Amino acid sequence: MSGLLFDGTLETFYMVLLASVITAIFGVPLGVLLLVTSRGYFWESPNFYRILGTIVNALRSIPFIILMVAIIPFTKMLVGTSIGTTAAIVPLTVSTIPFTGRLIETSLRTVPYGLIEAATSMGATPWQIIRRVLLPEAMPEIIQNFTITVIVIIGSSAMAGTIGGGGLGDLAIRYGYMRFRADMMIATVLILILMVQLVQWIGDMLSRHYDHR
């Protein structure tokens, strides 16, 4: 049992870590793009914002268990299989990138617009405003919201076990549920709880570190 739990924990950690990195790479730029193309910002484009926002909202509305099954052909095209931890990363990222984009947009909106106007009056370009004003000023909120994303990924990675995604979710279903092993079920739940607590603690610590107010 201990060996199974150790392997399952490593698989879950692998899924969560890689999915979180990919989500950050695509989710943060998506959130920035949503903000700067909205009304009142320097790349204002109502039609583009409306179309992009509709796509983001549509992807966020699909339940994860349905999304996993719906994009199996896309998953096979990318990684060559629809089973296993690597395959599970595809629906994890497809699900969380639009979710993260909205959270990042919300975080960036906490930056007072007066700071943007001040930077513009001093001749800062849009890219300089994004890098030196928006992202640094909103960093505590970005970290807190991305912490929420990682916790969602942990929960979704457990759900991926229902279609052979591996990890702790797979153990809970195959050994805890199908074989009526209550000890295995309890152990997987406790490990997931510890992972969530650890992620939240790291997120809170980093948020306080970058909060200069």
Side-chain angles (χ1 to χ4, degrees):
M1 177 176 170
S2 60
L4 288 172
L5 288 172
F6 180 76
D7 292 340
T9 301
L10 288 182
E11 290 177 353
T12 298
F13 181 76
Y14 165 73
M15 283 190 288
V16 171
L17 179 62
L18 199 55
S20 298
V21 171
I22 296 173
T23 297
I25 291 172
F26 291 97
V28 173
L30 175 61
V32 172
L33 186 61
L34 284 167
L35 178 81
V36 299
T37 56
S38 62
R39 189 176 300 277
Y41 286 83
F42 38 81
W43 288 336
E44 180 179 339
S45 179
N47 291 333
F48 178 82
Y49 177 80
R50 191 179 303 111
I51 294 171
L52 182 61
T54 300
I55 295 172
V56 168
N57 291 338
L59 290 173
R60 290 172 57 205
S61 302
I62 304 174
F64 181 70
I65 189 70
I66 296 176
L67 180 67
M68 282 194 301
V69 177
I71 66 170
I72 283 178
F74 179 66
T75 302
K76 285 184 177 180
M77 183 182 68
L78 284 183
V79 298
T81 180
S82 61
I83 300 174
T85 53
T86 301
I89 292 172
V90 177
L92 282 173
T93 53
V94 171
S95 173
T96 53
I97 286 173
F99 176 76
T100 302
R102 280 298 189 191
L103 291 179
I104 298 300
E105 179 192 8
T106 302
S107 301
L108 295 173
R109 289 191 185 279
T110 63
V111 178
Y113 196 77
L115 293 177
I116 299 174
E117 292 178 329
T120 303
S121 66
M122 289 186 290
T125 64
W127 287 112
Q128 289 174 329
I129 293 173
I130 291 171
R131 294 197 316 269
R132 300 179 183 179
V133 178
L134 287 174
L135 291 176
E137 290 294 324
M139 189 56 66
E141 287 79 12
I142 290 174
I143 292 172
Q144 286 287 0
N145 282 327
F146 192 73
T147 300
I148 296 173
T149 297
V150 177
I151 292 172
V152 169
I153 292 174
I154 293 174
S156 298
S157 70
M159 200 183 304
T162 58
I163 60 168
L168 293 171
D170 185 50
L171 288 181
I173 292 170
R174 287 195 296 120
Y175 291 90
Y177 176 71
M178 293 184 176
R179 300 188 184 184
F180 304 101
R181 290 285 302 272
D183 54 345
M184 180 66 80
M185 184 72 76
I186 293 171
T188 54
V189 170
L190 288 176
I191 293 173
L192 288 170
I193 291 174
L194 289 174
M195 290 179 68
V196 169
Q197 293 295 328
L198 177 62
V199 168
Q200 187 65 61
W201 177 75
I202 294 174
D204 291 340
M205 182 178 63
L206 290 174
S207 179
R208 288 194 298 269
H209 174 74
Y210 284 98
D211 192 350
H212 57 270
R213 290 171 294 185

